[in-house]
């Protein structure tokens, strides 16, 4: 095998892996909410999870504890809060990240069936009109900002229904290469913001210490 073939083969494998699509599917129906994660042609159900079989555990004898629990004990999971200023500095990054995602994210499938219903026929008609008005705004927004592939939106009104009924099936995907590029960009951008924030905090601390020394003289 020639020397250039191994690097070329590695590059080919990396290119094929970068084209691997990662995605998720969500479905809402009368049976409830379900969600799947997709890796290439494989799909894994993440919600609802299959119930695990409970095993009978031997009961342990209770131990008498003479010590009283502290009434002021912190609840489990309590952690100290972080710096608010760093979060505020990151807010523009969140907006830019959302913009990058919406340009790359692909909506492979969007099925929506909405049937308006109510005890009062007038309210049912009103709900039907409002639903169509919302969809009239939402669908063009999705088409302009995302790669919307398979779309099927149906609305109807049923005067025999006591409440509205909805069915939703949506599938989103993102290539592995796009995801890695996004994570790399996000990491570099956050690192720049963090270093600038830390430099500012050090400058403030040094200024306070200098002011304290001057006041002490």
């Amino acid at each position: 095998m020639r020397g250039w073939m191994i690097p070329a083969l590695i590059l080919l494998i990396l290119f094929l892996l970068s084209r691997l699509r990662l995605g998720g599917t969500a479905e809402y129906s009368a049976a409830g909410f379900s969600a799947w994660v997709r890796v290439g042609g494989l799909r894994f159900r993440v919600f609802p999870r299959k119930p695990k079989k409970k095993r009978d555990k031997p009961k342990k004898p209770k131990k008498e504890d003479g010590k009283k629990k502290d009434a002021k004990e912190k609840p489990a999971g309590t952690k100290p809060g972080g710096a608010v200023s760093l979060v505020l500095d990151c807010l523009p990054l969140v907006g830019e990240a959302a913009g990058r995602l919406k340009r790359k994210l692909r909506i492979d499938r969007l099925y929506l069936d909405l049937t308006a219903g109510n005890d009062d026929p007038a309210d049912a008609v009103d709900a039907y009109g409002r639903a169509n008005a919302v969809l009239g705004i939402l669908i063009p927004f999705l088409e302009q900002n995302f790669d919307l592939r398979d779309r099927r939106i149906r609305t109807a009104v049923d005067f025999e229904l006591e409440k509205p009924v909805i069915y939703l099936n949506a599938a989103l995907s993102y290539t592995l290469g796009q995801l890695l590029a996004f994570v790399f960009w996000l990491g570099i951008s956050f690192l720049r913001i963090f270093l600038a924030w830390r430099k500012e905090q050090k400058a403030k601390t040094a200024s306070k210490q200098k002011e304290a020394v001057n006041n002490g003289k």
Side-chain angles (χ1 to χ4, degrees):
M1 184 178 288
R2 297 181 181 179
W4 61 268
M5 294 185 68
I6 295 178
L9 183 60
I10 294 175
L11 289 175
L12 178 61
I13 294 174
L14 291 176
F15 173 76
L16 294 176
L17 286 175
S18 69
R19 303 303 299 171
L20 181 67
R21 296 204 74 85
L22 309 175
T25 302
E27 183 180 56
Y28 180 77
S29 64
F33 177 76
S34 301
W36 296 265
V37 171
R38 179 165 62 89
V39 180
L42 303 177
R43 197 172 75 154
F44 307 93
R45 186 172 181 172
V46 294
F47 186 86
R49 295 185 178 181
K50 294 182 179 180
K52 295 181 180 180
K53 294 182 179 180
K54 295 182 179 180
R55 296 181 180 179
D56 295 333
K57 295 182 180 180
K59 295 182 178 180
K60 296 181 180 180
K62 295 182 179 179
K63 296 180 180 181
E64 294 183 359
D65 190 3
K67 297 181 180 180
K68 295 182 180 180
K69 294 183 178 180
D70 187 2
K72 296 183 179 180
E73 184 179 358
K74 292 184 178 180
T78 300
K79 295 182 180 180
V84 176
S85 57
L86 179 59
V87 176
L88 295 177
D89 290 343
C90 289
L91 287 180
L93 179 61
V94 175
E96 189 176 351
R100 284 176 173 262
L101 279 176
K102 75 178 184 180
R103 287 192 292 268
K104 301 295 184 182
L105 188 66
R106 191 175 82 183
I107 303 178
D108 298 295
R109 181 175 62 256
L110 179 60
Y111 294 163
L112 176 63
D113 295 331
L114 175 62
T115 304
N118 198 290
D119 294 333
D120 188 346
D123 290 340
V125 173
D126 180 63
Y128 174 76
R130 285 188 282 109
N132 281 283
V134 172
L135 291 174
I137 299 174
L138 178 61
I139 300 304
F141 171 80
L142 294 177
E143 292 177 339
Q144 292 172 8
N145 292 278
F146 299 94
D147 183 8
L148 183 56
R149 297 295 179 93
D150 188 8
R151 173 173 66 90
R152 190 200 69 201
I153 310 295
R154 298 185 298 195
T155 59
V157 60
D158 189 343
F159 297 112
E160 295 183 0
L161 290 177
E162 296 181 355
K163 58 183 180 179
V165 176
I166 187 172
Y167 170 77
L168 174 66
N169 187 301
L172 312 175
S173 65
Y174 207 70
T175 65
L176 180 60
Q178 291 171 336
L179 180 61
L180 292 177
F182 173 76
V183 171
F184 178 77
W185 167 84
L186 186 62
I188 294 298
S189 301
F190 175 76
L191 182 60
R192 289 175 180 173
I193 293 174
F194 176 75
L195 292 177
W197 173 82
R198 190 170 66 174
K199 183 178 180 180
E200 183 182 355
Q201 296 302 310
K202 287 183 177 180
K204 289 182 179 180
T205 302
S207 178
K208 289 180 179 179
Q209 291 176 349
K210 185 177 180 181
E211 184 179 353
V213 171
N214 292 334
N215 293 335
K217 290 182 179 180

